């Protein structure tokens, strides 16, 4: 065991037991949520360190608190590593954002006035809540023009994005998504932004580890602003970073301002208080790990595994959005069985110890809470050492479960939906089929160590 939790065990038995319960869930099951992965024991140790205790508002060398000499070194080291690992010469990086959603909003807040126009991918085609959903602060404070995927190919249509950019003249054009299984042409997106005088922005949260490992094209060194979380394919702590081009300025209230300075001010004091220096130290550890040749192999294997899993799932007769994947994730289109199956299939897979998440798909006839797709990916299982052979086995588990429960119907009446899901979940807990597959999954999964749990 990497972590003994000796003191938690002694002082708080309830939390100790819950940590152990989650360890068992992680070991006995298959984590296929594409935005999840496992942090190493070294990352977790830095995250649990006494750096937690230090206040350090503002940036290294100009803090509002005394005693920041050491945390200044921590933060500077993290910045240096981030710029190096992403080959982001010519950029400044802010490593203080608490997570991805604040990071995106901080960019908008730093560079725009309320009501300014941003272009981004629509939520049900793979965009993120902070890319202008009406339920997010982003959608309330800014005017979003959404582009979608092509109805036939279910891939980005760059000509259509260029046409919308010409028509709406946004201040920011955002790419980088949360449920898009294909490569993103960041060069094209930047050229479109440049052609209308917009800032190009890429949210690479999902694919940052693939970019470092050379398994996805990079938005550096041309995209004006790049945001990323640090806990997905990068395998660090839950946090985020914002990169901005040092040579790029914009007009704010008739004054030319460097975008990197405007963004720094938006992070602190604009939106955040004291940076979490323990988290920043843990990001630095994750970046150090990402420099190693093993990380490149990991990134390559994530994509190889995803491609094999996608082919195997399709061979089982299931439909994938866009017909497959180029990255770490894929979306199963459950519409051939009827609308609104996503929530039920998520629950059924969870009952057999496979974690995926329900997801809207392009042109989904159902609402986002009861969508018609599920999203899955390979970063976590790849970090447990699973390879192509295991992907075929996993595709078999998924297909058996989908086939068994594909007939479950989402009630048309909205008020009946929550009850239908509850009754379905109860039925799962009594199902012999679920018990059988669940124990097969457990036997299969427990052969593979979980980083952060099964380390010496
Ligand atoms: N919640 C993340 C995801 O699952 O894609 C994005 O922030």
């Amino acid at each position: 065991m990497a972590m003994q939790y000796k003191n938690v065990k002694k002082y708080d038995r309830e939390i100790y037991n819950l940590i152990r319960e989650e360890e068992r869930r992680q070991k006995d099951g298959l984590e296929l949520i594409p935005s999840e992965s496992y942090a190493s024991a070294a990352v977790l140790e830095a995250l649990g360190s006494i750096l937690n205790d230090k206040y350090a508002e503002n940036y290294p060398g100009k803090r509002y608190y005394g005693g920041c000499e050491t945390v200044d070194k921590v933060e500077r080291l993290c910045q240096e590593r981030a710029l190096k690992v992403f080959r982001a010469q010519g950029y400044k990086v802010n490593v203080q954002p608490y997570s991805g959603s604040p990071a995106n909003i901080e960019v908008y807040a730093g560079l725009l006035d309320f009501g300014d126009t941003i272009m981004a991918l629509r939520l049900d085609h793979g965009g993120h809540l902070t890319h202008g959903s009406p339920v997010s602060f982003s959608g309330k404070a800014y005017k979003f023009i959404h582009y979608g995927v092509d109805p036939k190919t279910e891939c980005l249509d760059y000509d259509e994005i260029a046409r919308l950019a010409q028509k709406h003249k946004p201040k920011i054009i955002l790419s980088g998504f949360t449920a898009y299984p294909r490569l993103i042409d960041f060069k094209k997106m930047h050229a479109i932004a440049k052609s209308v005088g917009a800032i190009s922005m890429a949210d690479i949260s999902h694919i940052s580890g693939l970019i470092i490992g050379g398994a996805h094209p990079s938005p550096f060194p041309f995209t004006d602003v790049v945001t990323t979380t640090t806990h997905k394919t990068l395998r660090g702590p839950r946090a985020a970073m914002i990169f901005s081009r040092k040579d790029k300025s914009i007009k704010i209230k008739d004054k030319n301002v460097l975008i990197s300075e405007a963004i720094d001010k938006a992070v602190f004091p604009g939106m955040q208080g004291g940076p979490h220096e323990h988290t920043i130290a843990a990001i630095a550890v994750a970046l150090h790990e990402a420099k190693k040749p093993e990380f490149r192999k990991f990134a390559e294997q994530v994509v190889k595994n995803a491609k094999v899993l996608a082919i195997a799932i399709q061979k089982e007769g299931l439909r994938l959005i866009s017909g497959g994947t180029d990255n770490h994730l894929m979306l199963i289109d459950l519409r051939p069985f009827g609308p609104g199956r996503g929530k039920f299939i998520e629950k059924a897979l969870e009952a057999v110890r496979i974690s995926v998440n329900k997801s809207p798909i392009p042109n989904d006839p159902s609402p986002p809470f009861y969508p018609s797709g599920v999203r899955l990916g390979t970063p976590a299982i790849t970090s447990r050492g699973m390879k192509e052979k295991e992907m075929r086995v996993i595709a078999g588990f998924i297909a058996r479960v989908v086939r068994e429960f594909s007939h479950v119907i989402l009630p048309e009446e909205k008020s009946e939906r929550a009850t239908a899901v509850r009754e379905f979940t109860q039925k799962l807990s009594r199902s012999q089929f679920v018990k059988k597959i669940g124990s097969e999954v457990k036997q299969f999964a427990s052969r593979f160590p979980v980083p952060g749990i099964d380390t010496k």
Side-chain angles (χ1 to χ4, degrees), residues 35 128 178 206 232 375:
S35 47
H128 188 250
T178 201
H206 264 259
K232 297 188 174 89
R375 183 184 73 147

Side-chain angles (χ1 to χ4, degrees), residues 27-62:
K27 279 164 74 86
D28 294 347
L30 294 170
E31 186 53 74
L32 293 181
I33 293 174
S35 47
E36 293 189 20
S37 197
Y38 302 107
S40 70
V43 167
L44 296 177
E45 278 175 15
L47 191 61
S49 70
I50 46 79
L51 294 167
N52 173 70
D53 302 335
K54 188 70 196 98
Y55 249 119
E57 281 174 7
N58 216 347
Y59 295 99
K62 42 183 181 181

